[in-house]
Amino acid sequence: MVIIKKSEQLMLMQKAGRITAEALLVARENVRVGISTKELDTKIRRFIEKCGATPSFLGYNGFPGSACISLNNQVIHGIPSDKVIIKDGDIVKVDVGARYRGYNGDSARTFAVGKVSDEALRLISVTEQSFYEAMKVAKAGNRVGDIGYAIESFVISNGFSVVREYVGHGVGADLHEDPSVPNYGTQGRGPRLYSGMTLAIEPMVNAGFANVKVLKDGWTVVTADGKLSAHYENSIAITDGDPILLTDAEN
Ligand code: MG
Ligand code: MG
């Protein structure tokens, strides 16, 4: 069931979104050669708690971290670990949620650490840009398929592929609400977008083939061909005009 938010709920989502966005700024400040992904996770958790919020991911379906931290060929759902030390040349995906007064923000970024390849930088940039292609069509009256089409056509025209097994989603009182928002689709198809819908749009883009698999830890999703993957996510609110960026550190 798609839940349309009223203005009071949207204000709380904006607050949750801002804390989420600021937690990613904490991640950006601290992601460096030599830090473990567990240390990074702890800094993120402390920041969220200091804001009077709780990490949405901690304990979600049993997830042991406050953030998902995924390196290089890992796509999403990497488990923070004191054994995983960030190295020069890594690309690091940090996916964070903060729950504030009953509402969730959900956002992800990919950070380049030290000297990374030109292809990795282009992958990160195309992934971010594909989100903004989706923003152009994320308005009331359009459909979920318009969002997926905008993302996938942009990604493919740049020679990369989108992950199909994992998708964006509604976000609100639950971290994952209806509708599903795939990073592929057909223009004019899928659920209609209404003003007051809140969505997490999150392109996951692979440098090689789209196929992914899950590691034995039951969480970490990796590319099947071992090539790089990037992730970019924001929570947004649909309006009759331009969408509102909820996971914005500026608002
Ligand atoms: Mg996320
Ligand atoms: Mg999400």
Side-chain angles (χ1 to χ4, degrees):
M1 186 182 66
V2 170
I3 299 163
I4 301 297
K5 278 80 178 179
K6 299 184 181 69
S7 62
E8 194 181 302
Q9 295 169 308
L10 286 175
M11 278 174 60
L12 289 173
M13 290 205 61
Q14 219 150 12
K15 178 71 180 163
R18 185 182 172 140
I19 294 167
T20 304
E22 289 179 347
L24 281 171
L25 295 182
V26 170
R28 190 177 70 186
E29 282 162 20
N30 286 283
V31 65
R32 59 173 182 270
V33 174
I35 193 172
S36 74
T37 57
K38 178 69 187 172
E39 278 177 85
L40 196 53
D41 185 70
T42 300
K43 287 180 189 295
I44 291 165
R45 176 176 54 78
R46 289 199 180 128
F47 174 81
I48 291 172
E49 289 172 350
K50 196 184 79 185
C51 295
T54 51
S56 308
F57 299 178
L58 187 60
Y60 187 85
N61 291 335
F63 189 76
S66 293
C68 297
I69 306 179
S70 314
L71 307 192
N72 303 322
N73 64 313
Q74 299 176 348
V75 180
I76 48 168
H77 300 169
I79 300 172
S81 166
D82 52 15
K83 294 187 184 66
V84 177
I85 311 295
I86 290 169
K87 301 185 302 298
D88 186 64
D90 281 342
I91 69 168
V92 181
K93 282 133 278 182
V94 180
D95 190 349
V96 174
R99 184 178 177 86
Y100 180 77
R101 291 177 58 189
Y103 288 89
N104 295 283
D106 189 4
S107 185
R109 294 288 183 272
T110 302
F111 303 110
V113 178
K115 180 138 184 60
V116 306
S117 68
D118 288 346
E119 193 193 36
L121 290 176
R122 196 170 70 83
L123 178 69
I124 293 168
S125 163
V126 165
T127 306
E128 175 174 351
Q129 280 175 265
S130 73
F131 168 83
Y132 286 97
E133 292 300 313
M135 286 287 270
K136 292 177 189 169
V137 295
K139 64 176 77 168
N142 283 354
R143 291 180 182 266
V144 165
D146 294 309
I147 291 174
Y149 178 83
I151 291 169
E152 189 181 33
S153 56
F154 182 79
V155 166
I156 286 178
S157 73
N158 280 281
F160 298 133
S161 63
V162 301
V163 172
R164 303 179 88 83
E165 287 88 340
Y166 300 88
V167 297
H169 50 89
V171 60
D174 286 323
L175 183 60
H176 295 110
E177 297 184 347
D178 288 335
S180 288
V181 185
N183 296 307
Y184 56 90
T186 305
Q187 288 174 301
R189 302 290 285 272
R192 192 176 290 279
L193 303 176
Y194 293 97
S195 185
M197 278 172 82
T198 46
L199 304 175
I201 297 180
E202 51 177 315
M204 291 157 244
V205 178
N206 292 352
F209 292 116
N211 307 51
V212 296
K213 59 185 183 183
V214 181
L215 295 185
K216 285 202 183 80
D217 64 20
W219 281 104
T220 314
V221 178
V222 299
T223 56
D225 62 11
K227 293 190 176 173
L228 295 177
S229 186
H231 189 199
Y232 189 92
E233 176 181 28
N234 282 308
S235 302
I236 68 163
I238 299 295
T239 75
D240 293 323
D242 291 335
I244 300 164
L245 201 54
L246 296 169
T247 41
D248 185 349
E250 307 296 322
N251 69 35

